[in-house]
């Protein structure tokens, strides 16, 4: 109307799954959850609709790169994530996660949302250095909306919490553990729990096979390393109670050590490592339009 245009991404269920009720329910649940979330560090949904008998979600188009792609490109360039970039990515992700965890229903009751799939694949960095949390497709509310508990394993095995591997009841601290994995991997430059098969991966998680980054040659201020190790504690009672608590601890430690964190540092790294790929995508988009 009146020339209003917006570039969007259309998300649909794969054709061979489009008639399976469990996938339809999961798809609609994601739309209901994310449509309620209004936070700059969470991908925004504009519309849920139906076309030719198939549901679709129209969500914001993000010109950027996933953190996973950044890891691969950095490795190809022989580059390491600067600590300031690592902390900046985790700090922004924690903001988005905290908004999800604190989401309430229309009566103001907290839903107890757990993302269950926090990983580098579901974090996007824009060219401007903003971090967006994606893909709430396997998110679970532990109260209210969609609160019936299922013991099915959901998410990527190498980024699961111990309680997820054991199929225990989950709460927000499960996502904090996953965020700790992402932080450790960005900091050290290698996979943490990834093993030859899923069983060995889950055993490593349950056993808490985690070395301190400093023991692997990465120079990290002790306060930041302690934050990482606390997030990765096998006992969730010893982890941070919330993503906001973790975020504030990171900000305080960064100030103490005069680290410059924020979107500018992320933007510099994204342009340095993924600049050609982003320019190529911009060209492809311009041609298509």
């Amino acid at each position: 109307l009146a020339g209003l245009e917006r570039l969007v991404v259309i998300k649909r269920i794969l054709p061979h799954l489009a008639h399976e009720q469990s996938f339809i329910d999961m798809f609609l649940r994601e739309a209901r959850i994310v449509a309620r979330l209004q936070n700059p560090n969470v991908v925004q949904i504009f519309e849920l609709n139906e076309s030719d008998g198939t549901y679709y979600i129209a969500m914001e188009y993000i010109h950027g790169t996933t953190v996973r792609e950044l890891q691969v490109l950095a490795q190809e360039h022989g580059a390491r994530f600067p600590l300031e970039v690592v902390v900046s990515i985790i700090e922004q992700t924690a903001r988005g996660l905290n908004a999800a965890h604190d989401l309430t229903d229309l009566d103001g009751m907290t839903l107890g949302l757990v993302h269950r799939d926090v990983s580098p694949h579901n974090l996007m960095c824009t060219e401007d250095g903003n971090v967006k949390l994606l893909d709430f497709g396997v998110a679970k509310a532990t109260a209210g909306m969609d609160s019936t508990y299922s013991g099915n394993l959901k998410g990527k095995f190498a980024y699961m919490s111990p309680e997820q591997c054991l199929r225990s009841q989950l709460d927000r601290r499960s996502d904090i553990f996953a965020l700790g994995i992402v932080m450790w991997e960005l900091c050290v430059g290698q996979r943490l729990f990834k093993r030859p098969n899923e069983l060995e991966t889950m055993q490593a998680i349950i056993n808490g096979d985690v070395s301190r980054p400093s023991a692997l040659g990465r120079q990290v201020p002790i306060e930041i390393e302690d934050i990482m190790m606390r997030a990765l504690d096998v006992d969730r009672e010893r982890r941070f109670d919330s993503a906001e608590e973790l975020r504030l601890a990171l900000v305080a430690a960064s100030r103490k050590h005069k680290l410059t964190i924020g979107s500018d540092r992320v933007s510099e790294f994204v342009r340095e490592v993924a600049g050609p790929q982003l320019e190529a995508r911009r060209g492809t988009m311009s041609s298509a339009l």
Side-chain angles (χ1 to χ4, degrees):
L1 181 68
L4 176 62
E5 292 184 341
R6 179 183 279 140
L7 198 58
V8 300
V9 170
I10 299 297
K11 182 171 183 175
R12 297 183 298 174
I13 304 173
L14 289 169
H16 68 283
L17 299 172
H19 300 292
E20 292 204 19
Q21 193 58 47
S22 61
F23 281 89
I24 294 171
D25 292 343
M26 196 162 65
F27 189 79
L28 297 178
R29 185 189 309 119
E30 176 181 14
R32 287 197 296 270
I33 290 170
V34 184
R36 300 279 308 283
L37 278 167
Q38 297 297 316
N39 185 278
N41 297 118
V42 177
V43 66
Q44 187 178 357
I45 277 183
F46 299 128
E47 183 181 53
L48 168 67
N49 215 322
E50 187 180 9
S51 176
D52 298 326
T54 302
Y55 287 107
Y56 70 86
I57 298 172
M59 53 177 54
E60 66 174 311
Y61 171 75
I62 300 170
H63 182 66
T65 173
T66 65
V67 171
R68 179 58 188 151
E69 184 181 25
L70 268 185
Q71 288 175 302
V72 172
L73 291 172
Q75 193 171 33
E76 290 175 357
H77 285 75
R80 173 176 274 183
F81 277 70
L83 183 60
E84 292 177 336
V85 173
V86 174
V87 174
S88 297
I89 289 173
I90 300 303
E91 190 269 338
Q92 289 193 55
T93 304
R95 284 181 184 271
L97 261 183
N98 194 67
H101 292 159
D102 284 348
L103 188 67
T104 62
D105 62 18
L106 294 176
D107 295 322
M109 297 294 292
T110 302
L111 294 172
L113 194 66
V114 184
H115 187 283
R116 294 201 294 182
D117 200 13
V118 176
S119 69
H121 313 71
N122 287 333
L123 298 175
M124 280 203 76
C125 298
T126 72
E127 202 170 33
D128 296 328
N130 298 313
V131 180
K132 300 268 190 179
L133 179 61
L134 311 177
D135 204 348
F136 284 77
V138 298
K140 192 69 176 174
T142 57
M145 178 180 62
D146 304 316
S147 62
T148 303
Y149 178 67
S150 166
N152 295 331
L153 284 174
K154 298 287 181 66
K156 298 174 184 66
F157 284 92
Y159 296 94
M160 288 184 176
S161 65
E163 54 269 30
Q164 220 171 341
C165 294
L166 294 169
R167 303 191 182 194
S168 302
Q169 189 75 37
L170 304 181
D171 60 28
R172 63 177 65 194
R173 292 171 295 182
S174 179
D175 288 340
I176 290 170
F177 187 91
L179 188 58
I181 298 175
V182 176
M183 186 176 181
W184 191 97
E185 291 185 347
L186 293 180
C187 192
V188 176
Q190 64 187 53
R191 300 297 297 272
L192 176 53
F193 292 120
K194 180 71 173 175
R195 299 293 189 272
N197 58 62
E198 293 168 353
L199 179 59
E200 289 182 41
T201 296
M202 289 191 287
Q203 286 175 333
I205 292 170
I206 293 167
N207 293 335
D209 296 343
V210 181
S211 298
R212 296 183 77 93
S214 56
L216 299 173
R218 182 69 197 257
Q219 298 303 309
V220 182
I222 187 66
E223 292 87 352
I224 291 179
E225 189 173 62
D226 285 345
I227 291 168
M228 200 182 313
M229 299 306 290
R230 182 178 171 188
L232 287 166
D233 201 305
V234 171
D235 183 356
R236 61 181 168 188
E237 297 299 329
R238 293 199 292 261
R239 289 179 216 149
F240 292 97
D241 287 330
S242 69
E244 180 66 3
E245 185 184 2
L246 182 153
R247 189 188 74 79
L248 292 175
L250 268 181
V251 170
S254 299
R255 284 177 182 158
K256 179 178 179 180
H257 292 277
K258 296 181 171 55
L259 296 178
T260 303
I261 64 172
S263 58
D264 288 345
R265 289 295 289 116
V266 178
S267 177
E268 289 170 14
F269 189 70
V270 168
R271 292 169 189 270
E272 174 190 338
V273 174
Q277 285 76 13
L278 293 178
E279 194 58 39
R281 282 174 203 159
R282 184 179 284 108
T284 300
M285 189 65 68
S286 296
S287 298
L289 292 173

